[in-house]
Amino acid sequence: MPSLADLLARAQTSLVAGDSRGCLHACDGILATQPQHPEALHFAGLAHAALNDRAKGIDCIRQAVGSAPTFAAAWSNLGSLLMDEGHLAEAEHALRTAIRHGQPSFTSPLYNLGNLLRHQGRLTEAEDAYGKVLAVSPHHHATLYNLASTLQEHGRLDAALALAQTALRLAPQHAESAFLVGNLLRTQGRLAEALTAYDTALASDPDHAACHTNRGNLLSEQGRPLEALAAFQTALNAAPHNERYASNLLCALHYIDGITPEALLDAHLFWDQRYGCPEPRPAPPRPSRTGQPLTVGLVSADFGCHPVGWFCLPLLEGADSQDMRLVLYSDRLNEDQNTHRLEQAAFAFRRIRECDDEQVAEMIAADGIDVLIDASGHTGHNRLSLFANRAAPLQASWAAYVGTTGVAAMDLLLADACQIPAGDETLYRERVIRLPVGYVPYAAPPYAPPPQPRQMGAPLTFGSFNNPVKLSEGILQQWALLLGSVPTARLLVKFRHLDDPATAQHLRMRFAAAGGDISRLDIEGGAPHAEMLAAYHRVDVALDTAPYSGGLTTLEALWMGVPVITMPGRTFASRHSLSHLTHLGLAELCGQDWDDYRAKAASLITDSARLARYRDTLRPRLQASPLMNGAGFARHLSQALRAVWEET
């Protein structure tokens, strides 16, 4: 008959070898004669847990620590099992008990305590726990990685990057470490280094869908839309059931030269067919709101210093609550001064980041929302799944997305006659509602400096402050031809991603390949918003992009007294500037074709008197226009929504 020591050794060996039933058999031999034997109970608990009977495993280990209250390893494993089951308070007690009774070199409970605290958002305490592990085991890879992730969440990016890079050096094949390094470098604007880190991660894990996605986002930021599109497609291939990855692909399509509204419609309809809700909630009845306020909800993650935030401000601050009550449902992570300004202007402001769709739908119902407006579309952190399952009697898309969402339950698309010309209704799944005063209003930042007269002797300068993802091969070719026709002019391209030297150099190479003279191309990176606006003092004529036109960027150039030359196409994304300029009475700045685009720009930049008039008059013209009349926009929006609401 085997001795107790033999049975314990057999139980441990079996457990390590993955033979959980063999471990239990050995433990049973001990517990038959010593039912409170702590080590046997401990091994039995771990074996039961390995066999997916966690409740029995927890019960056995509870008995073990009951028999041996200072049994640190048992307390540690009990804490881990309780944490896995979501019993966090009990888990924390068990882990702290293990730490109290264990030797200083016993770091497992400290590591798991750090994980628990991080999960609870107690980042400072988690950082302390991980730090104590590293004080004993400075090369503990998992702790280095988790502490780096914790510091990232704390916003301590430099320290996080140093730890993540150490973790990657210790485990060069660990894809998650390389992925984290890439994310941290990208956050710091070090795009070329981040791309290398992403490629390192993918070399270890070629099907890492999130890495392909972030790599696609980075390539977009570098102005490489075709490569970004391929990365998003690879991410979707790796995770075909992820609707977010499919949405990324749809967003990327709008930046591709030659994309047609027909192709965009087909792609968005396919998204809804595959990822939408096949049986959404039925639309509730719409009782008359005559003589009553219409209650309108807006859902977005961009209620802040973002184009959506700037477009929403005049609407909210101009709306009459006796006519239309505006309730904001905010998914925003990093709130700012615009967030707080929007919150003050809203009838009600709900933070929904921690809520699932069902909770948000219940909130919307409790708020009595008549019309729910999506202000995200397929962009990041969207709630299209909420709309797909119908959360309100009437649902509309507005302000954020550039065309159809494809969602069957999205009833309306709010636009104007410039964004969607008459006859193009069949290119959009939603019913098109054209507002008479432009598709969005504009609120200028209060810190924007006034326009300045052109400096004597300064070179003639075209400018584009658009996101590099909008700098398609086609538009670079047009700009190269334009510079060739105005030999004394320069081109200033400015955006925050261009701080990265490799990204700036890539743009130079693309411009040269398009036939441009790179000696006349000036590239600048980001700046605080007020300084960026002041940079328009050095620009004579702003050049719009294609096939994705400037929206807020165009309005900011006009606010700074700089005329914008645009060439609209057929897609919604290509017609933003056309809308803004038309409602300002500036159709003379809209090209009829690319030859006309270049001719208008070349003629304007050499007409100093006309440039001076624009510099003096564009801001007051914008101030007096419907684009900056928030109250007027709110009235027209209310009238349009009421007209649909009252239909039988």
Side-chain angles (χ1 to χ4, degrees):
M1 182 175 181
S3 67
L4 184 146
D6 289 338
L7 288 171
L8 274 178
R10 188 182 303 169
Q12 184 175 24
T13 302
S14 298
L15 189 65
V16 171
D19 180 9
S20 299
R21 297 195 183 281
C23 174
L24 286 174
H25 181 73
C27 290
D28 287 343
I30 299 170
L31 296 172
T33 58
Q34 299 186 43
Q36 297 303 312
H37 192 285
E39 290 181 81
L41 286 166
H42 180 218
F43 286 144
L46 294 176
H48 282 301
L51 292 169
N52 293 319
D53 191 347
R54 290 181 176 271
K56 194 164 186 178
I58 288 171
D59 181 64
C60 285
I61 301 179
R62 284 191 195 279
Q63 293 181 58
V65 297
S67 296
T70 62
F71 192 172
W75 279 112
S76 179
N77 286 322
L78 177 61
S80 296
L81 289 174
L82 288 167
M83 185 165 61
D84 290 343
E85 292 298 292
H87 305 307
L88 301 187
E90 294 177 85
E92 182 176 350
H93 169 74
L95 292 170
R96 291 191 184 279
T97 303
I99 293 165
R100 187 166 64 250
H101 294 303
Q103 295 296 316
S105 60
F106 183 42
T107 58
S108 291
L110 270 170
Y111 171 71
N112 286 327
L113 179 63
N115 293 341
L116 183 150
L117 294 168
R118 181 180 170 218
H119 174 76
Q120 291 183 315
R122 297 157 63 183
L123 301 183
T124 301
E125 295 174 81
E127 181 182 341
D128 179 67
Y130 289 139
K132 289 176 179 176
V133 175
L134 293 177
V136 176
S137 303
H139 295 148
H140 191 280
H141 175 266
T143 301
L144 286 164
Y145 173 80
N146 284 1
L147 179 54
S149 299
T150 302
L151 293 174
Q152 179 190 33
E153 294 170 39
H154 240 160
R156 296 170 57 189
L157 302 183
D158 290 338
L161 178 59
L163 287 168
Q165 289 172 325
T166 300
L168 183 58
R169 282 194 296 272
L170 290 171
Q173 303 303 313
H174 187 243
E176 291 301 327
S177 293
F179 181 51
L180 178 58
V181 168
N183 290 339
L184 289 163
L185 288 167
R186 180 175 162 231
T187 300
Q188 295 185 357
R190 297 160 64 179
L191 301 187
E193 295 173 80
L195 185 60
T196 299
Y198 288 149
D199 289 342
T200 299
L202 292 172
S204 297
D205 183 1
D207 293 327
H208 195 307
C211 189
H212 283 295
T213 293
N214 285 11
R215 186 174 181 273
N217 290 329
L218 184 152
L219 290 167
S220 293
E221 292 162 359
Q222 287 190 315
R224 301 160 71 174
L226 285 172
E227 294 171 83
L229 186 69
F232 292 138
Q233 183 63 65
T234 305
L236 186 59
N237 293 343
H241 300 295
N242 190 310
E243 72 274 10
R244 300 280 181 176
Y245 296 159
S247 284
N248 288 339
L249 191 65
L250 292 180
C251 287
L253 288 174
H254 294 279
Y255 298 94
I256 304 302
D257 277 326
I259 193 69
T260 66
E262 291 85 359
L264 289 170
L265 176 62
D266 288 344
H268 286 75
L269 291 177
F270 179 77
W271 184 96
D272 189 58
Q273 178 185 347
R274 184 159 189 177
Y275 304 104
C277 184
E279 296 183 6
R281 301 181 187 94
R286 304 202 296 258
S288 176
R289 291 287 183 249
T290 302
Q292 303 174 43
L294 196 65
T295 305
V296 177
L298 292 93
V299 182
S300 181
D302 297 320
F303 292 133
C305 289
H306 179 278
V308 168
W310 289 113
F311 296 151
C312 286
L313 272 172
L315 167 63
L316 269 81
E317 293 179 343
D320 178 359
S321 62
Q322 298 302 309
D323 175 49
M324 182 170 60
R325 296 172 176 172
L326 294 168
V327 180
L328 300 191
Y329 299 90
S330 176
D331 255 320
R332 191 163 183 82
L333 174 61
N334 298 313
E335 298 187 349
D336 53 42
Q337 65 267 29
N338 270 12
T339 309
H340 304 311
R341 190 172 158 188
L342 287 162
E343 182 176 10
Q344 290 178 345
F347 182 78
F349 190 95
R350 315 290 189 210
R351 290 173 174 83
I352 61 171
R353 187 166 181 81
E354 302 301 323
C355 302
D356 61 27
D357 282 355
E358 284 301 315
Q359 291 170 313
V360 178
E362 291 172 5
M363 202 180 298
I364 289 165
D367 287 335
I369 297 299
D370 298 319
V371 184
L372 191 66
I373 295 177
D374 169 50
S376 292
H378 287 276
T379 63
H381 308 292
N382 70 72
R383 287 276 185 163
L384 278 182
S385 55
L386 173 74
F387 286 82
N389 196 23
R390 186 167 292 282
L394 197 60
Q395 302 189 144
S397 175
W398 173 71
Y401 200 54
V402 285
T404 186
T405 62
V407 174
M410 194 72 76
D411 305 298
L412 310 175
L413 173 57
L414 304 176
D416 67 8
C418 296
Q419 289 285 168
I420 304 178
D424 279 4
E425 295 82 2
T426 58
L427 301 174
Y428 302 87
R429 185 168 199 174
E430 303 86 348
R431 174 181 172 183
V432 174
I433 301 297
R434 295 182 179 87
L435 302 174
V437 289
Y439 78 105
V440 290
Y442 173 57
Y447 46 77
Q452 296 291 328
R454 191 176 188 280
Q455 290 186 350
M456 293 294 294
L460 300 177
T461 303
F462 294 109
S464 171
F465 293 4
N466 285 282
N467 191 322
V469 71
K470 297 183 180 182
L471 306 185
S472 66
E473 304 305 322
I475 200 63
L476 291 180
Q477 290 169 9
Q478 294 300 325
W479 292 353
L481 290 171
L482 174 60
L483 279 191
S485 70
V486 189
T488 57
R490 302 188 65 80
L491 172 61
L492 170 62
V493 178
K494 183 177 179 63
F495 199 80
R496 63 181 179 274
H497 301 318
L498 297 170
D499 287 311
D500 180 58
T503 300
Q505 180 60 21
H506 184 263
L507 176 57
R508 290 188 189 93
M509 294 170 59
R510 291 178 61 222
F511 190 61
D517 180 356
I518 60 172
S519 70
R520 295 159 62 196
L521 173 64
D522 299 314
I523 298 176
E524 295 182 4
H529 198 194
E531 292 180 26
M532 184 276 287
L533 293 172
Y536 277 112
H537 296 158
R538 296 181 278 127
V539 175
D540 297 296
V541 176
L543 299 175
D544 197 17
T545 48
Y548 201 122
S549 172
L552 181 65
T553 305
T554 292
L555 289 165
E556 289 183 339
L558 296 169
W559 184 248
M560 295 306 301
V562 178
V564 180
I565 302 294
T566 189
M567 174 53 219
R570 293 182 60 224
T571 64
F572 192 104
S574 72
R575 303 175 70 84
H576 300 325
S577 295
L578 170 68
S579 173
H580 300 326
L581 293 170
T582 299
H583 289 288
L584 284 171
L586 295 172
E588 72 268 17
L589 299 177
C590 304
Q592 299 303 307
D593 54 35
W594 284 113
D595 289 342
D596 191 39
Y597 171 92
R598 297 193 308 275
K600 287 180 183 296
S603 172
L604 179 56
I605 203 167
T606 55
D607 189 337
S608 58
R610 191 173 164 211
L611 287 175
R613 285 197 300 274
Y614 280 131
R615 188 77 74 170
D616 291 339
T617 61
L618 280 176
R619 180 172 290 193
R621 187 172 194 151
L622 192 53
Q623 284 176 311
S625 77
L627 296 178
M628 294 192 72
N629 184 346
F633 185 90
R635 284 194 303 273
H636 285 292
L637 177 62
S638 174
Q639 289 167 7
L641 295 177
R642 283 180 181 277
V644 178
W645 180 268
E646 298 294 341
E647 290 175 354
T648 56

